[in-house]
Amino acid sequence: MKKPKRKNHAGRQLLASLVLVGLATGIFIYSSYQHRDLRVGKPFVPKEELPLATQLTPAQMKEDLATFEKQLAQVHPATAGGFSDETKAALEQAKKSVKSPKKVSEFTTILNQVAATLQDGHTAAVRLSDRQIPAQLRYIEDKLYVKSYSPPQPAQPAENGEGSENEEEAEPATDEEDGGESAAADGGQLQPGDELVSIGGVPISRITGRLKVITPTETGRSDSGTVKNSGLFYRACENDLLRESTLYAAGVDTSSGTVAVAVQRGGQQVTCTAPLADPAAASFSYTIESGVCQLVLPYCDSGKEAASFLKEAFGAIKQQKVHTLVVDLRQNGGSGSDMTALLMPYIDVDNVKQFSNTVTRYSNLAAAQLGYRLTTGSALTDIGLQKNERQSDLLFTGQVYCLIDEGVYGTANDLAIALHDSGAAKLVGSDTAAASTGYGAPVSGQLKNSGICYRISHQKITRFADSDAAALTPDIAVKITPQELASQSDSHLQAVWEDVKKQK
């Protein structure tokens, strides 16, 4: 793909509010890439985070909150004209809340209640070192179900025959702890199709309720025609609920390294004991069966590993004469890398249509990390249609499908937009978590006293005007069921197979 054509503009309707601010404050509109030196930027390197239970004084939190407020005001494109009334109200409430001592976990929630008012899932206080229950969840009709469970392999015993020093610390969960007197003593391991009832004695509804107040609304979707939730709320329930920081904030005791999980299974409530473990590393993969290739991309990367994988996969696709390609982006939350420039050259389209333009806001924080020479002001960069530099030797000319769901966000959403809006692929599944026109490219920082890390978007990215700007919706809608999870079938792939048959 060719580099986007970049021009200077000062009067676009998109930037009306930013220009008015510029006239009042001396801000000028520049091309963001003209004023960037990659040699100067230094990547964010966090210091060790404090334990979630660490007590913070009002003075410490007041200083950190002021820093967070300052960075939001200087970095985020939505605050170029000042804070909204909603954000101002949230800041005032936060200042009242920190007048008494709080734990790191509680202060993180306070910060996220402020950040959520910007309606941007990239902007948040985050926990970088976070254990979690090793399971995948799906949110179906206001209930959470287990999709898969992959406990870590038990550690090998020491040579002297003794186990780890923490082996005997965890005690079996009682019925009271797991949320119900009728719960069985031991349900074994979590199983696909299990409905979550409680974790550590805390009802799931209480945990999801806490998530809801700190989750921004980028998109909305309807369930049963009445309940409307943010797409990011669905993603938070499926991807963040099992994190130790979320569970601890909701009142779950995580000190033993294991938690009791009460579930409904086969009409009975049983209790499972699940470990808290470091997240397992995801990996790219592909399978080819009956002329159909499923290309599984659980994360986004634009480096050598991704390039090598795609070359290998499309080599196999050509060799085995694949006629249908399924790009599986389900539960891909994106990353700092957009794979569009790597994947699209293998797809038979003339031009790549993804975004019309970006607005970049300059700040000290963005300059330090990304090498911008400017520390104030904003810039409009035209992107427009970009010629697709096809891979002539491995070009795929068959039918392409892209699987999406509420777990798709960030650069994964960007890739799905490129596949769909370029006319390359049909989208199969459910609405993604991200607004198609929204904020991104976050820069990071860490608060001095609490050690809490944060991310703040510094760009606004606009999808083409003739595209659906509200959300990325599927061409073929698929609704999963608890029964599907229990049987470990795949309704998304089934929908692809059915559509392929119709094309013949």
Side-chain angles (χ1 to χ4, degrees):
M1 293 170 58
K2 291 185 177 180
K3 294 182 178 179
K5 187 177 181 181
R6 304 174 179 96
K7 298 179 180 179
N8 293 335
H9 296 271
R12 283 286 185 88
Q13 183 176 1
L14 173 67
L15 289 179
S17 61
L18 293 176
V19 172
L20 290 174
V21 173
L23 293 174
T25 62
I27 295 177
F28 296 93
I29 305 300
Y30 295 93
S31 166
S32 61
Y33 288 88
Q34 279 182 320
H35 300 278
R36 186 172 179 181
D37 186 349
L38 295 176
R39 296 170 298 177
V40 177
K42 295 182 180 179
F44 169 65
V45 180
K47 298 178 181 178
E48 185 176 356
E49 295 169 296
L50 297 177
L52 294 168
T54 302
Q55 286 282 349
L56 301 171
T57 66
Q60 288 175 319
M61 290 184 288
K62 181 180 179 181
E63 182 180 6
D64 280 1
L65 179 59
T67 299
F68 191 59
E69 177 181 359
K70 177 182 177 181
Q71 296 293 10
L72 289 178
Q74 294 181 351
V75 176
H76 203 281
T79 64
F83 288 129
S84 67
D85 290 341
E86 184 181 8
T87 302
K88 290 177 182 177
L91 282 167
E92 287 305 310
Q93 181 58 48
K95 291 170 184 178
K96 294 177 182 178
S97 298
V98 300
K99 290 183 178 181
S100 60
K102 296 284 188 299
K103 296 178 181 179
V104 166
S105 174
E106 296 171 307
F107 186 44
T108 302
T109 297
I110 292 171
L111 296 175
N112 276 327
Q113 287 175 315
V114 173
T117 63
L118 297 179
Q119 310 307 338
D120 169 23
H122 292 97
T123 298
V126 295
R127 185 78 177 175
L128 301 181
S129 56
D130 213 0
R131 299 182 299 175
Q132 63 186 49
I133 298 174
Q136 288 188 339
L137 303 179
R138 291 295 178 269
Y139 193 91
I140 304 173
E141 296 181 350
D142 296 329
K143 295 180 181 180
L144 276 165
Y145 297 87
V146 176
K147 181 181 184 293
S148 63
Y149 178 64
S150 304
Q153 296 297 320
Q156 295 295 327
E159 293 183 3
N160 60 5
E162 297 179 0
S164 67
E165 60 183 24
N166 296 322
E167 189 175 6
E168 299 181 359
E169 290 185 7
E171 297 181 359
T174 65
D175 292 344
E176 181 179 355
E177 287 174 333
D178 60 41
E181 296 180 358
S182 62
D186 186 6
Q189 294 189 342
L190 293 171
Q191 297 179 12
D194 284 349
E195 178 195 336
L196 296 191
V197 176
S198 67
I199 300 178
V202 179
I204 292 300
S205 60
R206 187 188 304 172
I207 303 175
T208 58
R210 291 185 66 89
L211 278 175
K212 199 162 191 175
V213 300
I214 62 172
T215 302
T217 303
E218 285 196 19
T219 63
R221 55 184 262 187
S222 296
D223 282 338
S224 306
T226 56
V227 179
K228 187 174 182 181
N229 281 319
S230 159
L232 274 175
F233 173 68
Y234 284 75
R235 173 168 171 76
C237 289
E238 295 180 351
N239 292 273
D240 298 335
L241 184 139
L242 298 181
R243 297 181 185 275
E244 182 176 15
S245 57
T246 302
L247 298 176
Y248 184 85
V252 177
D253 182 1
T254 62
S255 60
S256 69
T258 62
V259 290
V261 183
V263 300
Q264 283 287 342
R265 179 189 301 162
Q268 293 185 330
Q269 183 170 306
V270 298
T271 303
C272 306
T273 300
L276 292 167
D278 292 331
S283 60
F284 300 127
S285 65
Y286 68 89
T287 56
I288 298 176
E289 180 181 350
S290 302
V292 177
C293 176
Q294 182 182 3
L295 192 71
V296 181
L297 306 178
Y299 64 98
C300 288
D301 179 43
S302 59
K304 293 181 179 179
E305 176 191 356
S308 177
F309 166 76
L310 290 176
K311 185 175 182 179
E312 175 190 337
F314 279 92
I317 286 170
K318 180 178 180 180
Q319 183 180 29
Q320 299 187 41
K321 299 180 179 179
V322 167
H323 56 73
T324 302
L325 173 64
V326 181
V327 180
D328 192 346
L329 295 179
R330 290 175 293 181
Q331 296 299 307
N332 184 332
S335 67
S337 301
D338 187 354
M339 291 185 71
T340 302
L342 287 183
L343 179 62
M344 292 305 293
Y346 292 100
I347 308 300
D348 189 21
V349 292
D350 293 330
N351 299 300
V352 177
K353 184 179 182 181
Q354 189 177 34
F355 298 109
S356 60
N357 59 64
T358 63
V359 174
T360 300
R361 190 176 180 199
Y362 298 118
S363 63
N364 288 317
L365 187 63
Q369 291 177 29
L370 301 176
Y372 295 129
R373 295 188 181 94
L374 300 179
T375 57
T376 60
S378 297
L380 174 68
T381 301
D382 278 343
I383 300 175
L385 285 177
Q386 299 182 58
K387 183 180 179 181
N388 189 26
E389 303 291 346
R390 292 179 173 92
Q391 287 274 0
S392 57
D393 55 336
L394 296 177
L395 187 67
F396 180 73
T397 59
Q399 177 68 54
V400 182
Y401 296 85
C402 179
L403 307 186
I404 58 173
D405 62 10
E406 60 278 349
V408 174
Y409 192 69
T411 51
N413 196 71
D414 298 345
L415 176 56
I417 287 174
L419 286 166
H420 179 266
D421 290 5
S422 302
K426 288 184 179 181
L427 300 180
V428 180
S430 55
D431 292 4
T432 63
S436 296
T437 291
Y439 304 105
V443 289
S444 302
Q446 188 169 21
L447 299 174
K448 183 178 73 173
N449 300 311
S450 61
I452 295 172
C453 297
Y454 59 86
R455 299 188 304 253
I456 303 175
S457 294
H458 85 292
Q459 288 186 341
K460 182 175 182 179
I461 309 167
T462 302
R463 192 177 177 187
F464 275 84
D466 59 346
S467 302
D468 177 10
L472 188 60
T473 58
D475 300 298
I476 302 174
V478 176
K479 188 174 183 179
I480 61 175
T481 65
Q483 292 73 26
E484 174 187 334
L485 300 179
S487 64
Q488 296 185 282
S489 57
D490 194 328
S491 58
H492 290 71
L493 286 179
Q494 184 178 350
V496 169
W497 279 107
E498 291 175 356
D499 195 68
V500 168
K501 292 177 182 178
K502 293 179 183 177
Q503 309 305 316
K504 294 182 178 180

